[in-house]
Amino acid sequence: DAGITQSPRHKVTETGTPVTLRCHQTENHRYMYWYRQDPGHGLRLIHYSYGVKDTDKGEVSDGYSVSRSKTEDFLLTLESATSSQTSVYFCAIRGSDEQFFGPGTRLTVL
Amino acid sequence: AQKVTQAQTEISVVEKEDVTLDCVYETRDTTYYLFWYKQPPSGELVFLIRRNSFDEQNEISGRYSWNFQKSTSSFNFTITASQVVDSAVYFCALSGRNNNDMRFGAGTRLTVKP
């Protein structure tokens, strides 16, 4: 157990509304990541963070923003949700070299 | 660009059979990392193994074994004497030198029937 929690675990929202997903870790890891999982695509990196206030884009960053004001929290925001953002979102932290994942958040955008 | 291909979308075997999950990767990096993760029906992602590009030794962990061959850019995963609990989606992944750009394959869904 890598001490990663995600909230909420499930969310249904409507197109055009803002949504924020939270990832919380208890082990003071420097690197944190947000992925989305879609059928046929595996997991794809959205954004990652390498320290407080230090973030960078991943493969599928359009339509998403992130913030990290504390080591333990990494927030993913959809400013105006679209149906194409319906997905399962995973947060991860990096241990020595491998990444450990949170339980996931299932987001449905109607 | 980095890419991981898991050509087997779904595999079904009967318990106690051996099964190999294929993973082929593409990268221009000379230093890179390869991973396997398991996603059981409950949905969490479970780390199985990490291999760096300088270590081509095969690894065995219980019923699991991994065959890393740089010559064919492959990192295949074999489960010996499969069990129903092995039923899951298995992902192969690749990251470059900075280890922040992990690319996953599309996954292979393994079903082990009793």
Side-chain angles (χ1 to χ4, degrees):
Chain A
D1 184 2
I4 309 168
T5 57
Q6 294 184 229
S7 58
R9 295 292 314 280
H10 301 271
K11 186 171 182 67
V12 180
T13 191
E14 295 190 352
T15 298
T17 60
V19 176
T20 295
L21 308 183
R22 180 181 183 238
C23 177
H24 179 79
Q25 59 143 330
T26 60
E27 300 187 3
N28 209 34
H29 290 282
R30 178 183 175 192
Y31 290 90
M32 298 183 75
Y33 306 83
W34 276 108
Y35 291 86
R36 60 177 289 172
Q37 181 180 13
D38 304 290
H41 290 279
L43 280 81
R44 291 179 291 175
L45 181 65
I46 304 171
H47 283 279
Y48 69 95
S49 169
Y50 48 97
V52 173
K53 298 186 180 179
D54 292 324
T55 64
D56 206 349
K57 295 179 179 180
E59 182 186 0
V60 291
S61 59
D62 287 349
Y64 302 95
S65 62
V66 290
S67 65
R68 192 166 178 202
S69 58
K70 298 184 291 185
T71 299
E72 59 266 34
D73 289 327
F74 191 31
L75 305 181
L76 176 70
T77 297
L78 292 65
E79 300 289 350
S80 178
T82 67
S83 58
S84 65
Q85 293 175 312
T86 292
S87 188
V88 179
Y89 291 86
F90 285 96
C91 173
I93 57 92
R94 193 166 99 197
S96 52
D97 285 307
E98 57 274 12
Q99 293 184 18
F100 296 98
F101 289 82
T105 294
R106 183 173 296 275
L107 175 67
T108 302
V109 184
L110 301 176
Chain B
Q2 300 188 129
K3 183 179 179 182
V4 176
T5 302
Q6 294 180 256
Q8 304 151 309
T9 305
E10 296 191 26
I11 300 176
S12 180
V13 300
V14 176
E15 206 168 22
K16 298 184 183 177
E17 285 185 19
D18 299 347
V19 57
T20 295
L21 309 182
D22 297 332
C23 174
V24 175
Y25 63 92
E26 296 175 31
T27 181
R28 293 179 181 172
D29 292 344
T30 54
T31 300
Y32 52 90
Y33 299 91
L34 294 162
F35 306 83
W36 276 95
Y37 285 86
K38 174 183 180 180
Q39 187 175 44
S42 51
E44 74 270 25
L45 283 152
V46 179
F47 166 76
L48 295 178
I49 190 172
R50 169 184 60 84
R51 191 45 104 226
N52 72 48
S53 53
F54 298 108
D55 183 2
E56 282 194 78
Q57 277 195 337
N58 292 329
E59 177 143 347
I60 298 174
S61 175
R63 296 184 297 106
Y64 294 173
S65 62
W66 291 269
N67 184 313
F68 175 29
Q69 291 194 341
K70 288 177 76 170
S71 61
T72 56
S73 297
S74 64
F75 187 43
N76 296 337
F77 173 30
T78 297
I79 302 174
T80 302
S82 60
Q83 299 177 2
V84 173
V85 294
D86 296 326
S87 296
V89 180
Y90 291 87
F91 292 99
C92 180
L94 163 72
S95 69
R97 184 187 185 92
N98 67 12
N99 212 0
N100 287 320
D101 56 350
M102 189 177 283
R103 295 293 178 106
F104 283 77
T108 297
R109 181 178 299 278
L110 173 65
T111 301
V112 181
K113 299 178 180 178

